[in-house]
Amino acid sequence: MKRNISVLGAGYWGKNLIRNFSELGALKYVFDYDPKITSEFSKKYDLEIQDLNQILKDEDIEGIVVATPAHSHYEICKLCLEHNKNIFVEKPITLNVEQAEELISISKDKRRILMVGHLLHYHNHFIKFKELISAKKESPLRIVSLRKSLGKIRDNENVLWSFAPHDISMINSIIPGEISNIKKLERSYFNNNQDSVFLSFQKGQNKIFVDIEVDWVEINKIQRISAYFSDEVIVFEDSEPDPGKKLYKLSIPFTKNQLMSKNNSDRSYIKVDQNNPLRSECKHFLDCITNESNPFTDGLEALEVLKYLILLDEA
């Protein structure tokens, strides 16, 4: 494969992107604003060391992967687009709507790809989860999305900005339309940022009930989205280590007079071909460059997520 990718940022998530693009045979450069980190990863993957200006001037580099802190996304992405590079930036696309709209406009004018890392859209279990929902003859009555773990408490962002883009992006793909009737409960245990947030709102033309809970101070890792119907609940349990048990149905009548509980033995597991979502996401970016096609999680999709993220944060 052509070595046409440079990854900017080699931190917590950037190192995973570096590994995947290297294993795909596409990685040419790694750059981090800490020279020691740049040197470390370049040596590890046997890459030539270049500064950012040299990378941007390299005509062989067709794609730049941006895995730097969120506050830097706008300036870095704008610089890369102005040098005619295709962009894959981690979520959130930017921190405000005007900046995101400008990046979308530049990418359109330059005819360059602007892809955002909403990872779960490339997860085969979530893809199947959406297919099961689409096959139903009714809309879901309720969607519940949980993303909780004992994580690193950050000073530069709250748990909503860190975790909820995934949940909002997934829910947007299931239920189109506006958000209304927002209710919010938040807790700050360790600093002035929100460490734990519960959101409840209605979405779309049918006013479907949606609950999102994100939490940095939960001792058990929970990553689950559930769709409630009148005759069953469809569950994508991403925190389940067994791939064969990540997607299942529960035959629980969700009606006023029939609501009842079921135990684990009543789960009907759905067989799904296992994949590596991050590898699929990276491969999708390369395919979009090769085919000059629009990514599934493009700038417009990310802009919609950003608008709702800001709306919910300010509620």
Side-chain angles (χ1 to χ4, degrees):
M1 182 173 284
K2 186 177 181 181
R3 295 176 66 184
N4 60 347
I5 297 296
S6 178
V7 177
L8 307 188
Y12 171 76
W13 193 247
K15 63 184 179 182
N16 297 321
L17 291 160
I18 291 167
R19 184 186 70 254
N20 275 273
F21 279 107
S22 176
E23 291 174 355
L24 286 167
L27 184 66
K28 187 173 184 180
Y29 302 121
V30 170
F31 175 82
D32 193 278
Y33 284 101
D34 184 334
K36 291 182 179 179
I37 295 177
T38 298
S39 178
E40 175 189 341
F41 278 89
S42 297
K43 182 178 180 180
K44 179 178 180 179
Y45 290 95
D46 193 24
L47 305 173
E48 183 181 354
I49 295 176
Q50 299 278 25
D51 64 28
L52 183 55
N53 287 331
Q54 291 171 316
I55 291 171
L56 292 173
K57 291 177 182 178
D58 189 333
E59 294 183 358
D60 289 338
I61 293 297
E62 297 178 278
I64 302 282
V65 180
V66 180
T68 57
H71 64 81
S72 67
H73 286 180
Y74 166 70
E75 290 186 359
I76 293 175
C77 289
K78 182 178 179 180
L79 178 64
C80 294
L81 286 169
E82 288 173 343
H83 282 79
N84 296 310
K85 306 302 183 184
N86 298 291
I87 302 298
F88 169 13
V89 59
E90 275 305 319
K91 54 81 182 169
I93 180 172
T94 59
L95 296 182
N96 67 61
V97 169
E98 292 75 17
Q99 290 177 344
E101 289 176 335
E102 184 180 353
L103 293 182
I104 292 168
S105 177
I106 296 172
S107 68
K108 184 177 180 180
D109 291 342
K110 294 281 188 177
R111 296 186 177 182
R112 289 297 177 263
I113 292 162
L114 178 57
M115 174 173 158
V116 181
H118 293 154
L119 176 65
L120 289 165
H121 288 284
Y122 304 92
H123 197 310
N124 279 357
H125 287 82
F126 180 65
I127 294 170
K128 184 64 176 178
F129 177 77
K130 291 198 297 179
E131 290 175 358
L132 293 172
I133 292 173
S134 297
K136 300 289 289 185
K137 294 181 180 180
E138 61 176 330
S139 297
L141 301 170
R142 183 189 186 209
I143 298 285
V144 178
S145 192
L146 308 177
R147 193 162 306 277
K148 307 166 74 171
S149 66
L150 196 61
K152 180 180 179 182
I153 307 299
R154 299 171 177 85
D155 292 324
N156 61 344
E157 66 179 354
N158 60 39
V159 69
L160 191 68
W161 280 84
S162 181
F163 282 2
H166 292 300
D167 306 279
I168 296 169
S169 182
M170 287 191 294
I171 290 165
N172 280 349
S173 71
I174 297 168
I175 312 169
E178 298 296 318
I179 287 176
S180 60
N181 300 322
I182 302 169
K183 295 179 176 60
K184 181 179 179 184
L185 176 65
E186 60 189 61
R187 292 285 185 267
S188 299
Y189 297 104
F190 297 108
N191 54 27
N192 292 327
N193 281 335
Q194 302 158 12
D195 307 323
S196 178
V197 178
F198 173 80
L199 292 157
S200 183
F201 52 87
Q202 291 177 283
K203 194 169 193 303
Q205 185 177 1
N206 294 329
K207 300 289 185 181
I208 295 169
F209 289 98
V210 177
D211 295 333
I212 295 176
E213 188 172 0
V214 289
D215 197 326
W216 267 335
V217 289
E218 165 61 50
I219 60 172
N220 296 308
K221 185 175 183 179
I222 303 171
Q223 296 175 345
R224 179 194 310 135
I225 184 168
S226 308
Y228 289 72
F229 294 89
S230 61
D231 60 340
E232 64 182 0
V233 182
I234 303 172
V235 182
F236 167 36
E237 187 95 43
D238 194 24
S239 46
E240 166 59 55
D242 184 346
K245 296 182 178 180
K246 283 183 178 289
L247 185 63
Y248 57 89
K249 293 182 179 182
L250 287 169
S251 297
I252 303 176
F254 191 66
T255 61
K256 181 178 180 180
N257 298 321
Q258 291 182 289
L259 186 62
M260 63 183 72
S261 63
K262 294 281 184 176
N263 59 35
N264 289 344
S265 64
D266 297 303
R267 296 183 180 188
S268 174
Y269 293 104
I270 311 299
K271 184 177 180 180
V272 178
D273 291 334
Q274 185 180 1
N275 75 321
N276 179 331
L278 182 56
R279 178 65 57 85
S280 296
E281 184 180 43
C282 294
K283 180 67 165 53
H284 182 65
F285 181 53
L286 296 175
D287 290 342
C288 288
I289 293 174
T290 300
N291 301 324
E292 298 183 357
S293 56
N294 199 48
F296 185 74
T297 52
D298 63 5
L300 291 174
E301 189 269 341
L303 176 62
E304 185 177 18
V305 171
L306 178 64
K307 287 179 178 178
Y308 287 139
L309 185 61
I310 293 171
L311 177 67
L312 294 170
D313 191 29
E314 294 177 349

